[in-house]
Amino acid sequence: MSTVREIYSAEQIAGRVDALADEIVARVSGSLTVIGVLKGSFVFLADLVRALERAGLSSHVEFLRLSSYGNKQKASGDVVLIGGYPDVDDDRTVLLVDDIVDTGNSLSYAVKLLQASGTQQIMTCTLLDKPSRREADIEVDFVGFAIPDEFVVGYGIDYAEDYRSLPYLGVVESVED
Ligand code: IMP
Ligand code: MG
């Protein structure tokens, strides 16, 4: 059996998302397209674009879907684009949004994809950062919370497709029967 130990409440997340929106608004000039990396970013992105709007910055929304194969807790590092390519005008600033930056392989793959297609100005934002696990040479511009190397679920983030709908963030713990 497993239980989820809460690490950030819905209220704590909401406060941090508002503060992140202020940080982003202070750094972005011109028109913004927010690109969510599916599926894990969908809840965070929905809250972030509304926080940006309240902070005075409207955005277009696109998605891209990456896969690093399977439902394992450790990503393999082999990242591929599955599904369609996001539709972005080259003159817009792109904010790439993901749930977690772990090894950094996913985000750095997505940045390279966009650069190759002609996007000039790319910034990155993740709700969570596990700095101790980094492999790729990427610095995320906006981070919600830095966390230790623990497996996190909730607020859009899954373990084998479970737990995405939890309104808070937590760590899955095994419980002996
Ligand atoms: P990276 O390519 O290693 O940076 O992995 C990033 C992706 O791995 C995230 O977008 C998540 O989909 C997944 N991931 C990394 N850590 C966790 C976790 O603790 N819980 C759930 N998914 C995770
Ligand atoms: Mg992901």
Side-chain angles (χ1 to χ4, degrees):
M1 215 188 101
S2 52
T3 60
V4 178
R5 171 173 52 86
E6 182 177 296
I7 57 168
Y8 292 107
S9 68
E11 292 71 24
Q12 285 173 310
I13 299 166
R16 188 67 192 107
V17 170
D18 281 345
L20 267 180
D22 290 338
E23 291 173 34
I24 294 165
V25 167
R27 297 248 320 262
V28 171
S29 53
S31 35
L32 180 69
T33 297
V34 178
I35 302 182
V37 180
L38 289 171
K39 300 177 193 172
S41 71
F42 82 105
V43 174
F44 176 42
L45 180 137
D47 283 345
L48 185 64
V49 293
R50 287 175 291 175
L52 287 169
E53 186 73 45
R54 285 193 297 273
L57 182 61
S58 301
S59 54
H60 291 183
V61 176
E62 291 285 331
F63 291 97
L64 60 80
R65 188 157 180 201
L66 300 178
S67 178
S68 50
Y69 301 116
N71 285 325
K72 293 166 293 192
Q73 284 203 356
K74 299 284 178 203
S76 67
D78 295 319
V79 183
V80 288
L81 177 71
I82 51 175
Y85 197 86
D87 184 17
V88 191
D89 289 342
D90 291 350
D91 60 342
R92 298 181 72 88
T93 296
V94 162
L95 181 67
L96 255 177
V97 174
D98 204 354
D99 52 358
I100 303 180
V101 58
D102 187 25
T103 64
N105 290 324
S106 307
L107 214 52
S108 96
Y109 176 87
V111 167
K112 284 179 191 140
L113 263 185
L114 291 165
Q115 280 170 339
S117 80
T119 304
Q120 307 287 321
Q121 175 78 358
I122 304 169
M123 290 197 268
T124 51
C125 175
T126 65
L127 179 65
L128 300 172
D129 181 6
K130 295 182 188 174
S132 65
R133 297 249 315 146
R134 199 75 85 251
E135 292 171 9
D137 183 19
I138 184 166
E139 248 182 68
V140 181
D141 296 296
F142 307 99
V143 168
F145 303 105
I147 58 167
D149 181 17
E150 290 185 303
F151 199 82
V152 177
V153 295
Y155 195 69
I157 302 168
D158 74 308
Y159 174 49
E161 295 303 323
D162 286 330
Y163 306 114
R164 286 195 202 277
S165 49
L166 290 178
Y168 54 88
L169 285 161
V171 170
V172 182
E173 291 184 332
S174 297
V175 178
E176 298 294 321
D177 289 324

